Amino acid sequence: KVADWQLAWQPGTTVVEAVLAPGTRVSMVIDEMSYAAIQAGKTERAYGGWATFDSVPDQRYARDALAITEGMKADVRHIVELEINRPVSAHIGIVGAQSGALGGGNQVHFVLPPSERSTVFKVIGHRELR
């Protein structure tokens, strides 16, 4: 639990601790600033610590099922498909409700300092969310 945010996991969820193997693919919702940084090759702080195995169809899904509130991320217009390129520890479970967002999607929390995220992810695709 951070600041006034609710618990990240849906009550009753079994959170799985795993080591994700190279080749594992995830989707990460990012904002315009992070997308521009990735495009410019400045990835030191471009990646967040959370992703999903879900197919994210639109911004509404990002806001509701993934419970990415405006307080967490003002802009959810971009999604990058990432491939893990080295083993990384993660927690996997169901998204908890946040400030009116229902949650219920699948989420992956990377147990990794922000400074190391650019060493783990390779962008294999991108699209804008409507």
Side-chain angles (χ1 to χ4, degrees):
K1 187 169 180 171
V2 180
D4 63 342
W5 298 350
Q6 304 299 307
L7 293 176
W9 310 104
Q10 192 174 78
T13 294
T14 298
V15 178
V16 176
E17 294 184 28
V19 175
L20 300 180
T24 302
R25 293 183 175 191
V26 297
S27 297
M28 185 178 289
V29 177
I30 60 173
D31 59 18
E32 182 66 34
M33 188 170 66
S34 294
Y35 179 65
I38 290 168
Q39 290 296 98
K42 298 178 181 180
T43 60
E44 301 82 35
R45 297 279 183 177
Y47 300 109
W50 300 81
T52 185
F53 293 121
D54 293 354
S55 175
V56 181
D58 52 32
Q59 290 184 38
R60 184 176 179 165
Y61 187 90
R63 291 284 188 212
D64 194 39
L66 298 180
I68 303 172
T69 66
E70 293 216 11
M72 293 173 187
K73 194 174 291 188
D75 169 12
V76 293
R77 289 186 299 160
H78 298 275
I79 190 156
V80 285
E81 305 299 330
L82 303 171
E83 186 171 276
I84 306 292
N85 61 26
R86 70 173 174 86
V88 61
S89 294
H91 298 137
I92 303 166
I94 305 299
V95 178
Q98 293 288 331
S99 303
L102 296 176
N106 177 279
Q107 69 184 354
V108 180
H109 175 237
F110 298 101
V111 183
L112 181 73
S115 61
E116 292 182 30
R117 292 177 187 155
S118 64
T119 69
V120 172
F121 305 123
K122 174 186 172 187
V123 176
I124 57 172
H126 161 266
R127 60 189 165 84
E128 280 195 47
L129 296 174
R130 295 182 183 251

